[in-house]
Amino acid sequence: MASLSQSKEQQRQCRSGEVSLKIFDENLSGNLYKLWNRLASGSYFPMPVKEVIIPKSNGGQRKLGIPSISDRIAQEVVKTYLEPRFEAEFLPQSYGYRPDKSAHQAQENVQENVRKYAWVIDMDIKTFFDEVDHGLLMKAIDRHVPEKWVKMYIRRWLEAPVQTKAGLVPKQGKGTPQGGVISPLLANLFLHYVLDKWLVQTFPTVSFVRYADDAVVHCISEQQSHYVP
């Protein structure tokens, strides 16, 4: 009777997205097969993203969106599939969430640049992950991803509602969960176009270093530092 009750509870958790990694691992082959079958057939739909609020060092709060175990695995599959393609496009000045790139390397690049440039703009895009425009992001996706099944699942992840303590909150055409496996890759693709390439094309005489949604822009003069947004 106890094992039957435990089995029913595990089924309930699986349906609600509350399943832990330990429970998922107890039937790993079956759970992975079920996920693969749904992904392959197009019948896979992500669970709501769980909101987790953590304190920031400045006294504020950071909202993370944590997908379910199955959704994290599915996102890892697509991320691994797309990452080499996107990496071939990204600029070397981008360091955040990339293979063989680190914050220390970004810091070293900044140190090299300050020897050549006297003026610096320190940029931090406020609530970036919450404000990513889905329409603009999907335009960038369309440029590099012809596979319809990939785009379908990316859109479903972007549109998945957020499970807060107060209830489900639907997406309003923006935001990619900070805490999702594929979110950093999508964020880098978005910023590759709206910031990196824009800076290179619009202000070819500046240098910059970007780590995720933080960037340092090095200018040749005070006048330029005021002109560059």
Side-chain angles (χ1 to χ4, degrees):
M1 183 67 68
S3 61
L4 180 60
S5 299
Q6 184 179 24
S7 176
K8 289 183 177 179
E9 174 61 16
Q10 289 177 359
Q11 293 176 12
R12 184 195 68 79
Q13 289 176 334
C14 287
R15 290 194 298 269
S16 65
E18 298 172 4
V19 61
S20 68
L21 185 59
K22 179 178 181 295
I23 294 175
F24 191 94
D25 193 53
E26 289 175 359
N27 185 25
L28 182 61
S29 296
N31 287 325
L32 289 177
Y33 176 77
K34 184 186 297 184
L35 177 59
W36 170 82
N37 189 50
R38 289 175 176 175
L39 284 168
S41 66
S43 61
Y44 161 77
F45 286 87
M47 298 294 297
V49 176
K50 182 180 180 181
E51 182 181 77
V52 177
I53 299 177
I54 60 175
K56 298 173 67 173
S57 58
N58 61 4
Q61 294 181 329
R62 185 187 305 277
K63 292 183 180 180
L64 300 182
I66 309 300
S68 69
I69 299 293
S70 294
D71 293 337
R72 277 178 268 173
I73 294 171
Q75 288 185 21
E76 180 62 36
V77 170
V78 175
K79 172 183 173 291
T80 302
Y81 181 67
L82 293 178
E83 193 167 53
R85 195 183 309 181
F86 291 0
E87 278 293 315
E89 301 293 329
F90 293 160
L91 301 183
Q93 299 97 317
S94 168
Y95 289 88
Y97 309 118
R98 296 182 60 188
D100 303 318
K101 295 272 193 175
S102 69
H104 291 294
Q105 292 173 331
Q107 186 178 34
E108 289 172 0
N109 196 344
V110 170
Q111 291 173 343
E112 292 173 3
N113 286 339
V114 295
R115 298 188 181 98
K116 306 171 186 176
Y117 299 85
W119 297 90
V120 168
I121 303 172
D122 186 10
M123 300 175 60
D124 179 7
I125 304 176
K126 186 177 180 181
T127 62
F128 168 72
F129 282 87
D130 295 331
E131 299 295 331
V132 172
D133 184 274
H134 290 177
L136 292 177
L137 176 57
M138 291 309 300
K139 284 185 179 180
I141 294 291
D142 287 337
R143 187 178 182 90
H144 301 285
V145 182
E147 297 91 340
K148 293 182 179 179
W149 67 272
V150 176
K151 291 188 284 190
M152 177 179 68
Y153 287 134
I154 289 176
R155 187 173 290 280
R156 287 181 185 178
W157 287 322
L158 291 174
E159 295 175 350
V162 179
Q163 180 67 62
T164 69
K165 290 183 178 180
L168 284 178
V169 177
K171 289 290 184 65
Q172 302 293 331
K174 62 181 181 180
T176 180
Q178 189 172 2
V181 174
I182 202 171
S183 291
L185 183 64
L186 298 180
N188 268 334
L189 180 67
F190 185 87
L191 289 170
H192 170 72
Y193 283 104
V194 302
L195 182 60
D196 299 354
K197 291 198 72 174
W198 178 79
L199 280 172
V200 169
Q201 295 171 359
T202 310
F203 303 99
T205 59
V206 308
S207 290
F208 71 93
V209 176
R210 180 173 66 80
Y211 191 92
D213 54 351
D214 296 308
V216 177
V217 182
H218 303 266
C219 301
I220 58 177
S221 66
E222 181 180 8
Q223 181 180 9
Q224 186 181 57
S225 71
H226 290 295
Y227 182 68
V228 177

